Amino acid sequence: MTSNEIRKAFLDYFESKQHHVVPSAPMVIKNDPTLMFTNAGMNQFKDIFLGNKQRPWPRATDSQKCLRVSGKHNDLEEVGHDTYHHTMFEMLGNWSFGDYFKKEAIAYGWEFLTEVMKINKDWLYVTVFGGDEKEGLEMDMEAYNFWKEHISEDRILRGSKKDNFWEMGDQGPCGPCSEIHVDIRPDEEKAKVPGKDLVNKDNPQVIEIWNLVFMQFNRKADGTLEPLKAKHIDTGMGFERLCMVMQGKRSNYDTDVFQPLIQEIAAKCGKKYGENEDADIAMRVCADHLRAVSFSIADGQLPSNVKAGYVIRRILRRAVRYGYTFLGFNEPFINTLVPTLVGQMGHQFPELKKQQELIQRIILEEEQAFLRTLAGGIKRFEDYVAKNAGNKVVDGAFAFELFDTYGFPVDLTQLMASEKGWTVDMEGFAKGLAEQKERSRGAAKVESDDWVELLPGVEEEFVGYDVLEADVRIARYRHVKAKDKEFYQLVFDRTPFYGESGGQAGDTGELRFENGGLRIISTKKENGLIVHIVDTLPENLSATFHAEVDVAKRQATACNHSATHLMHYALRQVLGDHVEQKGSSVDEQRLRFDFSHFAKLSHEEIREVERRVNQMIRQCLPLEEHRAMPIAEAQKLGAMALFGEKYGEFVRVVKYGPSVEFCGGTHVANSGMIGSFRIVGEGAVAAGMRRIEAVTAQAATDYADRQQEQLAALAEVFKGAKDLGAAIAKLQEENAQMKSVVEQMQKAKALDMARNYAGRLAENPVIVEHIDDDVNMLKDALMSLRSENPDMGLVLGSVKDGKPSLLIVLGQNRVDGGMNAGQMVRTLGKEIQGGGGGQPHFATAGGRNADGLDKALALANELIAH
Ligand code: ATP
Ligand code: MG
């Protein structure tokens, strides 16, 4: 079976068992402060498991793009070195939301593997949770007994809490799990060592392929477990591992998922896959990382210097570095693999295909930049070795610096060191790494208490599209301690407050109650909840409150958000359909919009976009809003889905005339309310990506006013000028002319002075004096005196604009006698609080203390006399 057939067989099987097939969610996560990337199939259902949202269906199945490169699941260092861990992989999953539980989950899993996939039953082992004394948990006999119905008992192994107890995080849903392992070793080896001795022992041919999680507890903030009311099933199977088993291979990289990439890399570097271990690892790293980086870019996460972007940058750098060191690529090459990847996966993942050019350009730019950095790092290493010759040990702190600033994994440093017969102080390196981890953990540390439920089972309703104030009750609240602040989070039964999401800033406002009120400092969206942040709790928590949004701020934000839609439409009209939204941020002050486009916008294009947006504003287009439209219908209306966004089956559509978008944000009732629109900035964010900043309404008027005032002030300076531009150009021209006249005069004067000095030097070869003219003007003219005056010693000082300068010229005989102008000027420079330098025959210095100049000259007299 091909990989595509295997994926389809999985989804078809679970569909036949009444599971709803859902698309993969984006790999890049929004609205969850604890997670940057999707690392398991369950992430997209987290709000259901947490009880924040109702389940849309009782059963679901999908193939989810996952990335395991940070946080709890970080497989980065394994990738390439082993044959079955990837950074980016697909996780096949089936879910039950409070519907079936262990019995069916086990039966389905077994049936799919042994009946549908027809995997030999003798190759399979399963594990069950063996209990944990500290947690007060017994062995999972339930799971054991269900397994017994399918598989002989000697193949059911007991696992520890580490392998067989799954937790979402420090808090939240958790429970025992059952893994399915497969032994793909040759028969002779199986005869020697039974597979069950190798389960969970890091053997690359006895590996876990599927994990069935039985969510039945909730972990509270104090660490205790309470049973969940609704129990859930969450399973995850590694798609590439299943392909390996099905295709009779011993490595994920030998399947059709990876071979086209591996073969292309091999051809490009002129090596054969499978001949040399180091080269093989490097090819696997490059193939794997290309996928991870391409999919992240497709989902809107570009490489950058912070957070999620930095994680992506490091993955790409790791690939470049392996290619550079082991495959001999010292020119960008990873970007050239993108077409192969797209050819292979673009069908299943249209986001790749659609953005192929952008992905390729961004990777190319990153590769170029990193290859420069790499060269710099190698040079730093060489310098270090030269400077510390005889040491033979690279300091751990230096190895860490290379790792941290040049992205040099320590094994590269070790390799470079060993080539010179050196070693690396790994303990010191580990210390640097640990300290850094501690620092970032400390900075990010957030401690949340358990939610206190006041209105259990109430699902929060957002009423802020229609009203800006409402009577509300607190449904739940909790206390949160972050690094330098403490606050409370409130969730209401209904709220007019918009929670920060989709690039739109959250609302602020007041929570009023009898005899008082509280400030709502901000509003955020987290795992499907709208969370209001307050400093203190109201006394009577079960009162009815009146929640009021800050109206002016909301209104200004809405103007910017609606204008963003109009601009998006105008950009596509003016620049073309390749324009795709890549990022958007709106608040009360401005809007910022990132989009794919491959050239700088011309002045005319910017004006044209502005003109069209302002036209749509003047047309007073009324807002047409569809709150819950089936997604297919919305697409028919012309709304474009954005890559990297997660959509449900029903979507909200916002329409102003020809502009139609999927959007959850808050908007003006009529485009006319935006009043005015001005672009205030345009620039590049990355290769193939532009950013526009713009203002609307009052801010746009203010912007125009400021420009008017500047112009008026200029006109005042050029009183009477009809054409301001021409007047300024004329002035510039006059200025340039005058400059050249002055320069000529200065030169003439310098020559004159030099002639004068020539006469004096003929009588006395040493001249030390304070002159009125700037010594810096005289350099060239005085140097010409050296050929005629081998004994000369000339030291001049001057002050210009309050700043002292010194100049020294020495004849060749003095230089040969050991006198050094460069050294001399440094000594003299101290007197004028300055520094300088030069050569033995010529040097200058500048300083800050003009009062010291005479002292410096007196000192010069002394030095020259010797
Ligand atoms: P392992 O012990 O092999 O790292 P895991 O315990 O981390 O696996 P789970 O978190 O249970 O795995 O994930 C479910 C399934 O996803 C695994 O059974 C495996 O098939 C697959 N999987 C996990 N990590 C990776 C990875 N880095 N690359 C490819 N597949 C993976
Ligand atoms: Mg793992």
Side-chain angles (χ1 to χ4, degrees), residues 803-833:
K803 297 243 165 66
S805 303
L806 283 164
L807 175 146
I808 304 176
V809 185
L810 298 179
Q812 196 55 38
N813 288 348
R814 281 182 191 266
V815 175
D816 293 343
M819 212 174 254
N820 186 322
Q823 274 167 17
M824 203 184 282
V825 92
R826 273 191 286 278
T827 313
L828 303 184
K830 289 191 191 121
E831 301 296 338
I832 55 170
Q833 281 182 16

mmCIF file of all heavy atoms in Angstrom, residues 803-833:
data_model
loop_
_atom_site.group_PDB
_atom_site.id
_atom_site.type_symbol
_atom_site.label_atom_id
_atom_site.label_comp_id
_atom_site.label_asym_id
_atom_site.label_seq_id
_atom_site.Cartn_x
_atom_site.Cartn_y
_atom_site.Cartn_z
ATOM 1 N N LYS A 803 36.487 71.284 20.007
ATOM 2 C CA LYS A 803 37.120 69.944 20.069
ATOM 3 C C LYS A 803 38.587 70.032 19.631
ATOM 4 O O LYS A 803 38.875 70.496 18.535
ATOM 5 C CB LYS A 803 36.385 68.970 19.140
ATOM 6 C CG LYS A 803 34.945 68.738 19.533
ATOM 7 C CD LYS A 803 34.732 67.266 19.911
ATOM 8 C CE LYS A 803 33.438 67.035 20.639
ATOM 9 N NZ LYS A 803 32.240 67.277 19.813
ATOM 10 N N PRO A 804 39.500 69.563 20.471
ATOM 11 C CA PRO A 804 40.921 69.632 20.138
ATOM 12 C C PRO A 804 41.349 68.480 19.206
ATOM 13 O O PRO A 804 40.799 67.395 19.295
ATOM 14 C CB PRO A 804 41.606 69.466 21.484
ATOM 15 C CG PRO A 804 40.660 68.637 22.280
ATOM 16 C CD PRO A 804 39.281 68.978 21.815
ATOM 17 N N SER A 805 42.329 68.760 18.340
ATOM 18 C CA SER A 805 42.911 67.723 17.483
ATOM 19 C C SER A 805 44.428 67.873 17.483
ATOM 20 O O SER A 805 44.953 68.969 17.674
ATOM 21 C CB SER A 805 42.444 67.856 16.043
ATOM 22 O OG SER A 805 41.060 67.813 15.947
ATOM 23 N N LEU A 806 45.096 66.742 17.231
ATOM 24 C CA LEU A 806 46.554 66.749 17.143
ATOM 25 C C LEU A 806 46.987 66.059 15.867
ATOM 26 O O LEU A 806 46.298 65.137 15.396
ATOM 27 C CB LEU A 806 47.145 65.959 18.313
ATOM 28 C CG LEU A 806 47.170 66.643 19.674
ATOM 29 C CD1 LEU A 806 47.398 65.595 20.756
ATOM 30 C CD2 LEU A 806 48.281 67.698 19.708
ATOM 31 N N LEU A 807 48.116 66.502 15.324
ATOM 32 C CA LEU A 807 48.627 65.857 14.123
ATOM 33 C C LEU A 807 50.143 65.782 14.245
ATOM 34 O O LEU A 807 50.795 66.747 14.647
ATOM 35 C CB LEU A 807 48.193 66.682 12.908
ATOM 36 C CG LEU A 807 48.708 66.271 11.537
ATOM 37 C CD1 LEU A 807 47.625 66.560 10.504
ATOM 38 C CD2 LEU A 807 49.970 67.020 11.183
ATOM 39 N N ILE A 808 50.714 64.623 13.920
ATOM 40 C CA ILE A 808 52.168 64.447 14.013
ATOM 41 C C ILE A 808 52.693 63.912 12.680
ATOM 42 O O ILE A 808 52.134 62.940 12.156
ATOM 43 C CB ILE A 808 52.553 63.436 15.110
ATOM 44 C CG1 ILE A 808 51.955 63.865 16.453
ATOM 45 C CG2 ILE A 808 54.065 63.284 15.203
ATOM 46 C CD1 ILE A 808 52.198 62.876 17.578
ATOM 47 N N VAL A 809 53.738 64.554 12.149
ATOM 48 C CA VAL A 809 54.412 64.021 10.962
ATOM 49 C C VAL A 809 55.904 63.879 11.298
ATOM 50 O O VAL A 809 56.512 64.835 11.785
ATOM 51 C CB VAL A 809 54.258 64.955 9.746
ATOM 52 C CG1 VAL A 809 54.869 64.299 8.505
ATOM 53 C CG2 VAL A 809 52.800 65.302 9.493
ATOM 54 N N LEU A 810 56.471 62.693 11.079
ATOM 55 C CA LEU A 810 57.893 62.487 11.364
ATOM 56 C C LEU A 810 58.650 62.140 10.085
ATOM 57 O O LEU A 810 58.147 61.365 9.246
ATOM 58 C CB LEU A 810 58.075 61.331 12.351
ATOM 59 C CG LEU A 810 57.447 61.506 13.733
ATOM 60 C CD1 LEU A 810 57.705 60.259 14.587
ATOM 61 C CD2 LEU A 810 57.989 62.749 14.438
ATOM 62 N N GLY A 811 59.844 62.706 9.936
ATOM 63 C CA GLY A 811 60.694 62.387 8.782
ATOM 64 C C GLY A 811 61.263 60.974 8.891
ATOM 65 O O GLY A 811 61.263 60.362 9.971
ATOM 66 N N GLN A 812 61.769 60.458 7.774
ATOM 67 C CA GLN A 812 62.180 59.058 7.728
ATOM 68 C C GLN A 812 63.328 58.756 8.692
ATOM 69 O O GLN A 812 63.351 57.704 9.328
ATOM 70 C CB GLN A 812 62.578 58.684 6.284
ATOM 71 C CG GLN A 812 62.651 57.177 6.035
ATOM 72 C CD GLN A 812 61.337 56.469 6.404
ATOM 73 O OE1 GLN A 812 60.246 57.016 6.166
ATOM 74 N NE2 GLN A 812 61.450 55.307 7.027
ATOM 75 N N ASN A 813 64.269 59.701 8.844
ATOM 76 C CA ASN A 813 65.398 59.453 9.751
ATOM 77 C C ASN A 813 64.922 59.237 11.175
ATOM 78 O O ASN A 813 65.461 58.430 11.923
ATOM 79 C CB ASN A 813 66.386 60.624 9.710
ATOM 80 C CG ASN A 813 67.138 60.625 8.387
ATOM 81 O OD1 ASN A 813 67.074 59.638 7.645
ATOM 82 N ND2 ASN A 813 67.841 61.722 8.092
ATOM 83 N N ARG A 814 63.898 60.007 11.574
ATOM 84 C CA ARG A 814 63.375 59.852 12.942
ATOM 85 C C ARG A 814 62.690 58.494 13.112
ATOM 86 O O ARG A 814 62.842 57.838 14.134
ATOM 87 C CB ARG A 814 62.369 60.960 13.244
ATOM 88 C CG ARG A 814 63.051 62.252 13.574
ATOM 89 C CD ARG A 814 62.078 63.359 13.928
ATOM 90 N NE ARG A 814 62.817 64.601 13.978
ATOM 91 C CZ ARG A 814 63.331 65.087 15.113
ATOM 92 N NH1 ARG A 814 63.132 64.470 16.252
ATOM 93 N NH2 ARG A 814 64.026 66.199 15.095
ATOM 94 N N VAL A 815 61.948 58.111 12.065
ATOM 95 C CA VAL A 815 61.270 56.807 12.128
ATOM 96 C C VAL A 815 62.308 55.691 12.218
ATOM 97 O O VAL A 815 62.203 54.800 13.065
ATOM 98 C CB VAL A 815 60.365 56.602 10.887
ATOM 99 C CG1 VAL A 815 59.777 55.187 10.904
ATOM 100 C CG2 VAL A 815 59.252 57.646 10.865
ATOM 101 N N ASP A 816 63.342 55.801 11.363
ATOM 102 C CA ASP A 816 64.381 54.778 11.392
ATOM 103 C C ASP A 816 65.096 54.756 12.735
ATOM 104 O O ASP A 816 65.548 53.706 13.194
ATOM 105 C CB ASP A 816 65.405 55.006 10.265
ATOM 106 C CG ASP A 816 64.765 54.796 8.891
ATOM 107 O OD1 ASP A 816 63.661 54.176 8.852
ATOM 108 O OD2 ASP A 816 65.327 55.262 7.885
ATOM 109 N N GLY A 817 65.154 55.914 13.385
ATOM 110 C CA GLY A 817 65.801 55.994 14.697
ATOM 111 C C GLY A 817 64.913 55.447 15.814
ATOM 112 O O GLY A 817 65.297 55.470 16.980
ATOM 113 N N GLY A 818 63.711 55.017 15.475
ATOM 114 C CA GLY A 818 62.866 54.374 16.496
ATOM 115 C C GLY A 818 61.724 55.238 17.006
ATOM 116 O O GLY A 818 60.954 54.811 17.861
ATOM 117 N N MET A 819 61.624 56.451 16.506
ATOM 118 C CA MET A 819 60.522 57.297 16.969
ATOM 119 C C MET A 819 59.230 56.834 16.296
ATOM 120 O O MET A 819 59.251 56.400 15.147
ATOM 121 C CB MET A 819 60.829 58.741 16.599
ATOM 122 C CG MET A 819 60.257 59.721 17.599
ATOM 123 S SD MET A 819 60.807 61.402 17.209
ATOM 124 C CE MET A 819 62.002 61.681 18.481
ATOM 125 N N ASN A 820 58.119 56.908 17.018
ATOM 126 C CA ASN A 820 56.862 56.373 16.469
ATOM 127 C C ASN A 820 55.724 57.354 16.702
ATOM 128 O O ASN A 820 55.311 57.596 17.836
ATOM 129 C CB ASN A 820 56.563 55.024 17.140
ATOM 130 C CG ASN A 820 55.358 54.351 16.511
ATOM 131 O OD1 ASN A 820 54.389 54.995 16.143
ATOM 132 N ND2 ASN A 820 55.449 53.034 16.381
ATOM 133 N N ALA A 821 55.197 57.920 15.612
ATOM 134 C CA ALA A 821 54.142 58.933 15.714
ATOM 135 C C ALA A 821 52.868 58.349 16.327
ATOM 136 O O ALA A 821 52.184 59.008 17.096
ATOM 137 C CB ALA A 821 53.847 59.502 14.325
ATOM 138 N N GLY A 822 52.579 57.083 15.959
ATOM 139 C CA GLY A 822 51.352 56.444 16.468
ATOM 140 C C GLY A 822 51.379 56.348 17.977
ATOM 141 O O GLY A 822 50.395 56.690 18.653
ATOM 142 N N GLN A 823 52.508 55.874 18.517
ATOM 143 C CA GLN A 823 52.615 55.770 19.976
ATOM 144 C C GLN A 823 52.564 57.134 20.626
ATOM 145 O O GLN A 823 51.923 57.353 21.647
ATOM 146 C CB GLN A 823 53.933 55.091 20.345
ATOM 147 C CG GLN A 823 53.812 53.580 20.341
ATOM 148 C CD GLN A 823 55.171 52.912 20.389
ATOM 149 O OE1 GLN A 823 56.181 53.556 20.736
ATOM 150 N NE2 GLN A 823 55.211 51.656 20.030
ATOM 151 N N MET A 824 53.279 58.063 19.991
ATOM 152 C CA MET A 824 53.368 59.415 20.555
ATOM 153 C C MET A 824 51.987 60.053 20.671
ATOM 154 O O MET A 824 51.625 60.652 21.673
ATOM 155 C CB MET A 824 54.276 60.256 19.650
ATOM 156 C CG MET A 824 54.897 61.433 20.356
ATOM 157 S SD MET A 824 55.834 62.428 19.190
ATOM 158 C CE MET A 824 57.311 61.520 19.008
ATOM 159 N N VAL A 825 51.183 59.856 19.611
ATOM 160 C CA VAL A 825 49.878 60.515 19.602
ATOM 161 C C VAL A 825 48.962 59.923 20.680
ATOM 162 O O VAL A 825 48.124 60.606 21.244
ATOM 163 C CB VAL A 825 49.245 60.442 18.189
ATOM 164 C CG1 VAL A 825 48.355 59.216 18.051
ATOM 165 C CG2 VAL A 825 48.460 61.709 17.888
ATOM 166 N N ARG A 826 49.171 58.635 20.984
ATOM 167 C CA ARG A 826 48.347 58.036 22.050
ATOM 168 C C ARG A 826 48.719 58.630 23.403
ATOM 169 O O ARG A 826 47.860 58.907 24.224
ATOM 170 C CB ARG A 826 48.503 56.517 22.050
ATOM 171 C CG ARG A 826 47.516 55.838 21.096
ATOM 172 C CD ARG A 826 47.501 54.329 21.300
ATOM 173 N NE ARG A 826 48.693 53.703 20.752
ATOM 174 C CZ ARG A 826 48.834 53.389 19.453
ATOM 175 N NH1 ARG A 826 47.842 53.621 18.612
ATOM 176 N NH2 ARG A 826 49.929 52.836 19.012
ATOM 177 N N THR A 827 50.014 58.843 23.609
ATOM 178 C CA THR A 827 50.453 59.463 24.863
ATOM 179 C C THR A 827 49.910 60.885 24.967
ATOM 180 O O THR A 827 49.349 61.281 25.994
ATOM 181 C CB THR A 827 51.993 59.524 24.911
ATOM 182 O OG1 THR A 827 52.491 58.245 24.517
ATOM 183 C CG2 THR A 827 52.491 59.875 26.288
ATOM 184 N N LEU A 828 50.049 61.638 23.894
ATOM 185 C CA LEU A 828 49.575 63.030 23.908
ATOM 186 C C LEU A 828 48.057 63.087 24.038
ATOM 187 O O LEU A 828 47.506 63.983 24.672
ATOM 188 C CB LEU A 828 49.995 63.751 22.616
ATOM 189 C CG LEU A 828 51.489 63.775 22.294
ATOM 190 C CD1 LEU A 828 51.740 64.603 21.035
ATOM 191 C CD2 LEU A 828 52.290 64.354 23.457
ATOM 192 N N GLY A 829 47.419 62.107 23.418
ATOM 193 C CA GLY A 829 45.948 62.083 23.390
ATOM 194 C C GLY A 829 45.347 62.097 24.787
ATOM 195 O O GLY A 829 44.258 62.618 25.005
ATOM 196 N N LYS A 830 46.064 61.494 25.749
ATOM 197 C CA LYS A 830 45.529 61.443 27.117
ATOM 198 C C LYS A 830 45.298 62.842 27.672
ATOM 199 O O LYS A 830 44.362 63.072 28.430
ATOM 200 C CB LYS A 830 46.500 60.678 28.026
ATOM 201 C CG LYS A 830 46.505 59.192 27.705
ATOM 202 C CD LYS A 830 47.247 58.394 28.741
ATOM 203 C CE LYS A 830 47.441 56.981 28.229
ATOM 204 N NZ LYS A 830 48.838 56.571 28.142
ATOM 205 N N GLU A 831 46.159 63.782 27.283
ATOM 206 C CA GLU A 831 46.037 65.151 27.803
ATOM 207 C C GLU A 831 44.770 65.841 27.308
ATOM 208 O O GLU A 831 44.260 66.742 27.947
ATOM 209 C CB GLU A 831 47.264 65.998 27.369
ATOM 210 C CG GLU A 831 48.590 65.449 27.845
ATOM 211 C CD GLU A 831 48.721 65.434 29.361
ATOM 212 O OE1 GLU A 831 48.005 66.210 30.037
ATOM 213 O OE2 GLU A 831 49.523 64.620 29.876
ATOM 214 N N ILE A 832 44.299 65.430 26.144
ATOM 215 C CA ILE A 832 43.075 66.070 25.630
ATOM 216 C C ILE A 832 41.862 65.144 25.763
ATOM 217 O O ILE A 832 40.846 65.325 25.088
ATOM 218 C CB ILE A 832 43.258 66.517 24.148
ATOM 219 C CG1 ILE A 832 43.694 65.311 23.276
ATOM 220 C CG2 ILE A 832 44.269 67.642 24.029
ATOM 221 C CD1 ILE A 832 43.665 65.616 21.777
ATOM 222 N N GLN A 833 41.991 64.148 26.638
ATOM 223 C CA GLN A 833 40.911 63.169 26.857
ATOM 224 C C GLN A 833 40.431 62.587 25.544
ATOM 225 O O GLN A 833 39.236 62.613 25.228
ATOM 226 C CB GLN A 833 39.720 63.827 27.555
ATOM 227 C CG GLN A 833 39.943 63.984 29.020
ATOM 228 C CD GLN A 833 38.723 64.611 29.702
ATOM 229 O OE1 GLN A 833 37.641 64.652 29.149
ATOM 230 N NE2 GLN A 833 38.934 65.104 30.882
#
